[in-house]
């Protein structure tokens, strides 16, 4: 069993050609045509277990590889793999790989499910005292009558500091726009087997008791970045849910930074938080209008708001294409992999805490904040109530991050009750926040609220009463982590 560390980067065919013409790459590359067949059962049992099995053919040579799903942060994958030479396109299932033990008799049901065919160009790069293998793959993945193009770079560290991967990636980005990749070829192939994805909701975060705090944070933050990138890849469709889920991903990441603040605070954190706030704000301008438009019954108001939404979406699309957004994704990936927070002596005690103890302390701290700030909810102004709502969201996301550490029967029941109490509080505060922002959005669209028909429904005093009761219920809810 060996381990590999690589940085995967997505780019367009035009960007790949620009890179090849840039003069940045050394000498002539090694070029090969690769064909890989991926195998699974009809029920995709290997994939469900977090493994992939392929046979790759280069010329007359065939290599069988079994890979386990990695826990890397964002595009930095660290995963075990098992390789061996084989004579044909039929998998060898013996005790040298985990496949036989995983599937048992079901191993007989393995069959080809998709193929990957690419032209691979490989360079060995010396960069900042590191040796990096750069691989450019261009081709396609085919599953039955469905196919998807492949154009990606992989930077694999052969020796030296992992930070060199990101330093070199920035040099590549200066020549060819790129984004951190979050889907392996295997994942992309499996996606061809199912229905087309319309958006990417948050995936479950599974932490284990034996993880240290650093590793847990990398898993949590990596899941958030993955969710963002998956939705960014679909952003051009303009779909309401894609915008929403991309924004949720950024909120979850910012919540992870709050939950793990005692461990990850360093000189780079402030800049990263500022950039995340900027990007979240750009997406938020679109999302706010998506929430407001369905509430408008007046045709003129709806048309004006839809035009404002188109303009906000265009600004968001332009922002995502900026070098600033591209740099943020690389900066975050580098910071997760090898940021100063990993080594700061002042954070050593917190890094050494058992993960479960750290989670208890983090959840207690975030809960106290929501409880304290919402104590006089009826007397707060709109801005203060909005801050309570944001802190409640941070607590809810943190609870979701750490939930897998508290899986006793009583803890699971309390978790459901606790999340429901938080959700009710968030919903009530959300209605109040939407009402507070309606006038501003209408004015920005060239409309005046007093000229618009008022929507019938519960008045603000009644909603505020619901919010106060929800906060009381939240304070009374049993803590699932205790």
């Amino acid at each position: 069993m060996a381990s590999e560390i690589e940085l995967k980067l997505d780019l367009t065919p035009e960007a790949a050609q620009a890179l090849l013409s840039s003069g940045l790459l050394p000498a002539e590359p090694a070029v090969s045509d690769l064909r890989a067949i991926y195998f699974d059962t009809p029920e995709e049992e290997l994939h469900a277990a977090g493994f992939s099995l392929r046979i790759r053919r280069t010329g007359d040579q065939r290599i069988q590889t079994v890979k386990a799903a990695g826990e890397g942060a964002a595009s930095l994958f660290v995963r075990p793999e098992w390789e061996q030479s084989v004579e044909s396109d039929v998998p060898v299932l013996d005790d040298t790989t985990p496949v036989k033990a995983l599937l048992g008799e079901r191993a007989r049901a393995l069959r080809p499910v998709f193929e990957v065919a690419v032209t691979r160009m490989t360079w060995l790069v010396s960069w900042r005292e590191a040796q990096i293998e750069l691989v450019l793959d261009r081709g396609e993945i085919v599953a039955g009558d469905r196919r998807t193009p492949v154009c990606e770079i992989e930077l694999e560290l052969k020796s030296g500091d992992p930070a060199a991967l990101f330093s070199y990636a920035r040099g590549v980005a200066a020549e060819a726009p790129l984004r951190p990749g979050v889907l392996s070829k295997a994942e992309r192939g499996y996606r061809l087997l199912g229905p087309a994805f319309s958006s990417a909701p948050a995936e479950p975060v599974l932490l284990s008791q034996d993880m240290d705090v650093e590793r847990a944070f990398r898993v949590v933050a990596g899941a958030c970045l993955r969710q963002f990138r998956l939705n960014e890849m679909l952003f051009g469709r303009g779909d309401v849910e894609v915008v929403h889920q991309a924004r949720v991903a950024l909120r979850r990441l910012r919540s992870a930074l709050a939950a793990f603040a005692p461990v990850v605070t360093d000189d780079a954190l402030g800049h990263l938080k500022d950039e995340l706030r900027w990007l979240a704000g750009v997406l938020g301008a679109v999302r706010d209008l998506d929430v407001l438009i369905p509430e408008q019954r007046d045709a003129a108001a709806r048309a004006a708001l839809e035009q404002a939404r188109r303009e906000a979406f265009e600004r968001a699309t332009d922002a995502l294409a900026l070098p600033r957004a591209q740099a943020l994704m690389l900066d975050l990936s580098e910071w997760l992999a090898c940021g100063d927070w990993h080594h700061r002596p002042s954070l050593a005690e917190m890094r050494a805490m058992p993960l479960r103890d750290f989670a208890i302390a983090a959840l207690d701290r975030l809960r106290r904040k929501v409880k304290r700030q919402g104590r006089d909810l009826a007397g707060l102004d709109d801005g203060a109530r909005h801050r309570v709502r944001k802190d409640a969201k941070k607590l809810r996301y943190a609870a979701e991050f750490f939930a897998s550490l508290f899986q006793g029967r009583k803890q699971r029941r309390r978790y459901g009750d606790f999340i429901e109490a938080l959700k009710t509080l968030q919903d009530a505060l959300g209605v109040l926040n939407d009402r507070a922002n309606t006038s501003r959005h209408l004015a920005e669209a060239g409309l005046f609220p007093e000229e618009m028909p008022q929507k019938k429904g519960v008045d603000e005093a009644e909603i505020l009463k619901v919010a106060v009761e929800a906060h009381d219920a939240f304070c009374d809810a049993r803590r699932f982590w205790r």
Side-chain angles (χ1 to χ4, degrees), residues 280-343:
V282 171
L283 298 183
V286 185
R287 178 59 183 169
D288 288 348
L289 291 165
D290 286 337
V291 172
L292 183 58
I293 288 170
E295 300 293 317
Q296 298 305 314
R297 294 172 297 168
D298 180 81
R302 193 180 185 95
L305 291 174
E306 287 173 346
Q307 176 60 31
R309 199 270 184 187
R310 286 190 287 271
E311 294 171 359
F313 181 78
E314 184 176 350
R315 288 192 295 272
T317 302
D318 290 344
L320 289 174
L322 290 173
R324 180 180 182 181
Q326 175 179 291
L328 173 58
M329 293 298 107
L330 285 175
D331 288 348
L332 282 165
S333 296
E334 179 179 16
W335 181 75
L336 289 173
C338 48
D340 184 51
W341 63 274
H342 287 282
H343 315 292

Side-chain angles (χ1 to χ4, degrees), residues 14 16 25 64 122 143 195 200 278 284 337 339 409 454:
E14 294 78 16
L25 301 172
Q64 174 180 293
T122 305
W278 159 71
R409 182 180 301 176
Q454 295 299 309

Side-chain angles (χ1 to χ4, degrees), residues 68-89:
E71 292 178 352
S75 54
L76 187 70
F77 298 102
V78 180
R79 58 197 177 197
E81 63 177 49
W82 297 259
E83 284 192 350
Q84 64 186 100
S85 296
V86 292
E87 297 297 325
S88 68
D89 289 337

Side-chain angles (χ1 to χ4, degrees), residues 352-367:
M353 280 185 71
L355 178 57
R356 196 171 185 275
D357 293 346
F358 179 87
I360 290 171
L363 291 168
D364 278 340
R365 170 170 51 84
L366 294 171
R367 177 182 176 273

